[in-house]
Amino acid sequence: MPLDEQLPTHTEVEGVRIDVRHWIGGRRVAGASTFADISPIDETEIAQVHAGTATEVDAAVAAAREAFPAWAAMPVAERSAILRRVAEGVEARVEELARVETRDNGSLLRSHRRGVMPRVAMNFRFFADYAEQLAHPDMEVRGHRERISYDPAGVVAIITPWNAPLMLATWRIGPALAAGNTVVLKPPEWAPLTASLLADIMAEAGVPDGVFNVVQGTGTEAGAPLSAHPGINRLSFTGSVPTAGRVAAAAAPNIVPLSFELGGKSPLVVFEDCDLDLAVNLTVEQFDNAGQVCLGAFRVLVADSIAAEFTERVLEKAKQVVQGDPRDEATDISALVSRVHFDRVRGFVERAIEGGARPILGGGPNEELGGLFFRPTILVDAKPGSEILTEEVFGPVLTIQTFSDEEEAVAMANDTRFGLAATLVTGDPDRAERVSARLNAGTVWVNCFFVRDLGAPFGGNGRSGIGREGGIWSFDFYTDVKNTVFAPAGWTVAGSEEGSDG
């Protein structure tokens, strides 16, 4: 019996019919087995998704390589027009995408409707527009003209996480396709369903067969052979530091350029001259998405002169955070994504308490809701250098520490192997300039949080990643930047008697 008849081909989630097979070369392809997709809301199975292996990865890379020459040669205006149709397709299905992703990864439905899915559409539209304007002025040296161009690199492998699967995937897919590359996407096994819906949208928008491919599966069975595949030309990975190490090792023999967005242990530095209402609001905002946000500022550092009042007000506001079903408009935070991750977060908190940290809010599972709901937690008195202060928890867990002066605040903020982001709250413009310049982070927010234009660079220092994406930085990565040097008109000999570089 054909595989398509042996295994389920579709599932229905929140009234949306979804094909659970791979998308390779412009058609649905069955796998030899499936894996269970479990909703974190109630830990029920919502799909049996076809599991990819090296076989499907080989097929997807081959399809992408076959499609690459025509897509790369297509005039940029035509490529961009297709990607704008993809954006329109996303916008037409925002409600469906929002409902499916909420059920799949447990994030708030209201956030998906109002922010996340519209941003998915923006990822395509922004980079489509940017590609049409992409240019570098000619340079001149000793009468020679140097032309800088951006050539498509080839096949781009994109491996994405579960905390914002569609938004984070399209943040890479958009510029990769706009630059003229073809793509093989490996979505997260804990939240794979919206990637399949995106494949449908791509096809409806007229994306040629093989330009966009989706291979579902685990990191071991699908991610590893994709990372190691000799047919890929770029690799973008978002996830944990340990997994990044394995991905880099797999890609290294093929000398594949990498872009990594990894973990964080970001500080939120609150000075005594701050707007205290703002500082409190920014602190409690870190519980967004149940703390499953790489950019979250979970190490709260506050001036000791205002620490008591600040902490009291943070507690008062945090107690108003509503935890529950993410499909309810009244809910502020929902469940953690899986049982494995829930146990990991709980282990961090339990070890911190055993080591002397004191919970002043939460500290464990939400017994009233059960399942994968972990209470918003605030810990104080953690010992310097302890695990809870140095390792990424990726859950709704904040620590509060105090500092005595600006020098100590900067030292504490930078006392981390990570360097993804930092948030600074101060009422002194000079201090804002002075301290932000000294913070070791790819992004620093001053008196704000989570604000960034798609044209700005994004990435982390240290163990938070490799490279930058956004605007021109995306095209620097997803293209081969070429310099073509033209001799002055009328020259008939190669080179220059005046000397050359090289």
Side-chain angles (χ1 to χ4, degrees):
M1 185 181 294
L3 287 173
D4 289 283
E5 296 176 18
Q6 293 177 336
L7 300 174
T9 61
H10 291 79
T11 190
E12 185 169 306
V13 175
E14 299 291 314
V16 181
R17 184 172 169 82
I18 306 162
D19 199 309
V20 292
R21 294 169 293 179
H22 311 290
W23 179 255
I24 298 173
R27 65 186 184 92
R28 290 294 175 175
V29 174
S33 63
T34 61
F35 62 92
D37 184 17
I38 307 297
S39 173
I41 299 173
D42 52 14
E43 293 188 275
T44 60
E45 181 182 301
I46 56 175
Q48 281 288 327
V49 180
H50 286 235
T53 64
T55 299
E56 289 74 30
V57 168
D58 285 344
V61 173
R65 294 199 71 81
E66 182 178 355
F68 172 70
W71 181 249
M74 183 182 291
V76 65
E78 293 182 28
R79 283 203 307 266
S80 292
I82 292 172
L83 295 181
R84 291 189 192 99
R85 291 200 296 271
V86 173
E88 292 167 1
V90 170
E91 288 166 339
R93 301 184 70 176
V94 161
E95 180 64 22
E96 291 182 5
L97 292 166
R99 293 203 308 269
V100 170
E101 191 142 294
T102 290
R103 190 77 167 110
D104 208 9
N105 84 336
S107 297
L108 298 186
L109 179 58
R110 74 183 190 212
S111 296
H112 282 141
R113 282 172 171 161
R114 300 170 191 172
V116 176
M117 296 308 163
R119 163 66 184 274
V120 169
M122 187 187 302
N123 285 340
F124 286 106
R125 186 169 283 113
F126 174 88
F127 288 108
D129 292 346
Y130 202 104
E132 288 196 273
Q133 303 165 13
L134 185 63
H136 190 288
D138 286 353
M139 304 172 70
E140 187 274 335
V141 55
R142 298 190 299 274
H144 296 62
R145 177 169 59 89
E146 299 189 64
R147 183 182 66 203
I148 313 303
S149 57
Y150 297 84
D151 294 350
V155 177
V156 177
I158 299 176
I159 302 175
T160 52
W162 43 262
N163 58 323
L166 193 59
M167 189 271 284
L168 291 176
T170 55
W171 156 238
R172 277 81 185 184
I173 295 166
L177 294 182
N181 303 291
T182 53
V183 166
V184 178
L185 171 68
K186 207 295 280 184
E189 59 265 36
W190 286 350
L193 298 181
T194 49
S196 182
L197 294 176
L198 178 62
D200 294 336
I201 293 170
M202 291 274 196
E204 293 163 4
V207 174
D209 295 349
V211 169
F212 176 70
N213 306 272
V214 179
V215 177
Q216 301 150 157
T218 66
T220 301
E221 296 298 321
L226 180 58
S227 302
H229 204 287
I232 65 172
N233 303 96
R234 294 290 188 276
L235 174 56
S236 177
F237 170 80
T238 306
S240 70
V241 172
T243 304
R246 294 190 290 272
V247 169
N254 298 316
I255 319 297
V256 174
L258 305 170
S259 177
F260 281 173
E261 180 197 335
L262 308 178
K265 196 66 179 176
S266 301
L268 193 164
V269 186
V270 181
F271 283 100
E272 67 278 0
D273 54 21
C274 72
D275 177 333
L276 200 55
D277 288 336
L278 174 64
V280 169
N281 288 338
L282 291 176
T283 300
V284 177
E285 187 178 344
Q286 307 310 309
F287 288 124
D288 181 52
N289 203 24
Q292 299 168 129
V293 179
C294 59
L295 290 163
F298 300 109
R299 288 189 299 133
V300 182
L301 313 177
V302 57
D304 51 18
S305 61
I306 61 168
E309 182 182 2
F310 169 81
T311 302
E312 181 181 351
R313 291 179 60 175
V314 165
L315 275 175
E316 180 183 353
K317 188 171 186 65
K319 288 175 181 177
Q320 299 171 18
V321 170
V322 177
Q323 188 169 34
D325 192 317
R327 296 167 293 189
D328 187 333
E329 281 280 323
T331 296
D332 296 312
I333 71 169
S334 180
L336 296 176
V337 72
S338 72
R339 177 59 57 180
V340 170
H341 188 58
F342 179 89
D343 290 342
R344 181 178 181 275
V345 171
R346 180 169 58 183
F348 270 113
V349 174
E350 290 176 349
R351 290 191 298 274
I353 294 173
E354 290 170 2
R358 180 168 55 90
I360 58 174
L361 181 72
N366 188 324
E367 299 84 358
E368 296 175 7
L369 296 174
L372 303 180
F373 292 86
F374 198 93
R375 291 187 183 278
T377 295
I378 300 176
L379 302 173
V380 298
D381 300 335
K383 294 179 181 179
S386 61
E387 177 189 62
I388 198 67
L389 298 177
T390 58
E391 298 298 327
E392 183 179 44
V393 178
F394 220 61
V397 181
L398 305 183
T399 58
I400 296 180
Q401 300 169 269
T402 62
F403 60 84
S404 58
D405 57 27
E406 186 175 301
E407 196 67 27
E408 185 179 23
V410 171
M412 291 173 68
N414 288 340
D415 186 19
T416 174
R417 296 170 298 165
F418 296 97
L420 189 57
T423 302
L424 167 63
V425 193
T426 177
D428 182 343
D430 291 334
R431 170 174 276 165
E433 294 283 352
R434 190 168 60 242
V435 173
S436 62
R438 297 179 63 192
L439 294 178
N440 178 30
T443 300
V444 178
W445 284 291
V446 179
N447 295 329
C448 60
F449 180 66
F450 229 49
V451 178
R452 185 181 65 84
D453 186 88
L454 284 174
F458 176 75
N461 304 339
R463 291 170 68 89
S464 286
I466 297 173
R468 295 292 186 271
E469 294 192 40
I472 191 61
W473 294 272
S474 287
F475 289 92
D476 282 345
F477 175 68
Y478 291 112
T479 66
D480 288 320
V481 183
K482 178 191 293 181
N483 181 26
T484 304
V485 184
F486 296 89
W491 278 37
T492 58
V493 295
S496 169
E497 294 182 358
E498 298 179 26
S500 61
D501 298 321

